[in-house]
Amino acid sequence: MKSIILFILSLLIYVSANAQVWQPSPGHIQIPIWPEGKMPDPLSDTKPESVKTISKSVAGKPWTCIMDVSQPSITIYSPTTKNTGAAVLVFPGGGFHGLAIDLEGTEICEWLASRGITGILLKYRVPNSGPNWNDNCQCHVQPYAPAALEDAQRALGLIRLNAAKWHINPNKIGVIGFSAGGYMVADISTHFKKRAYSPIDAADKESCRPDFAIALYPGHMGLEDNKSFVLNPNILFTKETPPTFLLQAEDDPVDTVDYSLLYYIGLKNAGAPVEMHLYAHGGHAFGLRKTHFEITHWPRLVEKWLKSIDILER
């Protein structure tokens, strides 16, 4: 599958853009995740960050895409109801070419906060910071350095280091991702024993293993030809992989349902806990937005699952 980049490119005729750096809503502040001058593997030849509004709607609303992120950050959405102590680091999708920052980012954080869970939005580096579809060669390419994984590992370390300050239980920190962000869920769920970069400070001494993982319509989970039913060799599941929740629509036109099946089988074969939900209809990149498809009720399933693994009270 050519990943979500073809989907984004097909929408460019609907796009309006400006050169401003993305900013969260009032009351929320972006926190740089790397000390000045110490970010590993800075992306080369990046353009200034820009924000694009995709007017072709999802559930009747346009959505926002950030392009050319070179300065990654986290934004904290504190609980708006009784704090459960749980926290979730959010990875928006975008094919490692852009970030669907509201559809699969801020809207997810706001939902988490409404459930007493601290939502933490990761604005990770793009483009070409993870496995992505290259339109020139008509093939998947690997990044010269796993910048998105580096950002995710760093963010988890920072969250654990600041858990008391941010009123978070350091043993109840999970991840959620969509499409390319779903691949990041798998990536960090299997690459946590060693940082992908040289440690910098106290944050990098903290564990970057998620306590639980949620992946919706994950991308890049199979081999490049998309014909062989073989798990991406970069993803090596073990018994130490955190409990995982998977969800996807079988009619997804961007990331084949085989990716979720490979993810599920890989976890089962490794003896790692997993729960999967597949729906006949729902498409791709729906986030939390309500449509007439049953799959859009997925947040209820996630909350039940979080109770079943003792992250939330039963």
Side-chain angles (χ1 to χ4, degrees), residues 67-88:
M67 310 298 291
D68 298 297
V69 176
S70 60
Q71 300 300 318
S73 67
I74 54 174
T75 303
I76 301 171
Y77 291 72
S78 298
T80 54
T81 185
K82 182 180 178 181
N83 189 355
T84 65
V88 177

Side-chain angles (χ1 to χ4, degrees), residues 12 19 32 38 44 59 71 93 97 104 110 130 154 162 182 187 221 225 286 304 306 314:
L12 287 181
K38 294 189 176 182
S44 60
Q71 300 300 318
H97 290 270
E104 296 167 347
E110 289 166 356
R154 174 70 180 176
N162 292 282
D187 209 8
M221 294 301 298
D225 60 14
F286 44 82
K304 290 180 180 179
L306 289 174
R314 297 173 186 265

Side-chain angles (χ1 to χ4, degrees), residues 296-308:
T296 59
H297 299 297
W298 65 264
R300 299 175 189 172
L301 298 175
V302 168
E303 290 183 56
K304 290 180 180 179
W305 176 74
L306 289 174
K307 293 177 181 178
S308 75

